[in-house]
Amino acid sequence: LGANLGLVGTTWTPRASSLNWRCIASSADGTKLVAAPDNGNIYTSTDSGATWTARNSSQLWYSVASSTDGTKLVAGVYNGSLWTSTDSGATWTARASNAQWYSIASSADGTKLVAVTLTGQISTSTTSGTSWTQPVNNGLQWYSVASSADGTKLVAVASGQI
């Protein structure tokens, strides 16, 4: 269908090993990427995915997000911490407490973040993830979250609800 519509992305080229990939995020220009498998290292690319570098320790990564310039990254571990990077993924720092982090979103500049868990928590940060609000816990199973470019408008999807 995509080829008939003349859409980009109709030809795909494998670039990384055959891992059980779970999540990926991109800078606005597509040159800086971050991706993670179900259980393994987080990977980064600075050449639009032509080459990949393994980063950080092996974790059960569930979600990643990127600022538009690709320098500020955030990643969530299922039954683990939220991790942040301010250098395009070269180094990572564990931040928020252990939880079942399931989805993360970032503002365009990477300063405003939102993360949700399957156990009902919604946490936000206005400091690129160095500090997080006390999580709101409403008991819903959150599956996905998104943010506007300026980070002032958030939307989340829970089991059976938006």
Side-chain angles (χ1 to χ4, degrees):
L1 178 65
N4 294 334
L5 298 175
L7 300 176
V8 292
T10 57
T11 303
W12 295 86
T13 304
R15 295 290 185 187
S17 61
S18 298
L19 295 174
N20 194 14
W21 296 103
R22 170 157 307 268
C23 51
I24 191 165
S26 174
S27 61
D29 65 4
T31 58
K32 293 181 181 177
L33 305 171
V34 58
D38 269 341
N39 197 3
N41 295 77
I42 223 167
Y43 288 79
T44 60
S45 174
T46 58
D47 57 9
S48 301
T51 59
W52 291 88
T53 303
R55 308 284 189 176
N56 212 340
S57 60
S58 182
Q59 304 272 351
L60 189 58
W61 303 104
Y62 252 60
S63 185
V64 292
S66 174
S67 60
T68 56
D69 67 3
T71 58
K72 293 180 181 175
L73 306 173
V74 60
V77 176
Y78 191 77
N79 287 327
S81 298
L82 290 174
W83 292 73
T84 61
S85 173
T86 58
D87 56 10
S88 301
T91 59
W92 291 84
T93 304
R95 299 293 184 180
S97 61
N98 288 356
Q100 292 176 336
W101 298 109
Y102 208 77
S103 183
I104 303 168
S106 174
S107 62
D109 65 4
T111 59
K112 295 183 177 102
L113 306 173
V114 59
V116 297
T117 70
L118 282 181
T119 55
Q121 295 179 11
I122 299 177
S123 295
T124 57
S125 173
T126 58
T127 60
S128 300
T130 57
S131 62
W132 291 83
T133 60
Q134 184 68 27
V136 174
N137 192 334
N138 59 14
L140 295 175
Q141 287 185 312
W142 297 106
Y143 285 103
S144 189
V145 66
S147 172
S148 61
D150 66 4
T152 62
K153 295 170 188 70
L154 307 173
V155 64
V157 176
S159 181
Q161 299 184 32
I162 293 182

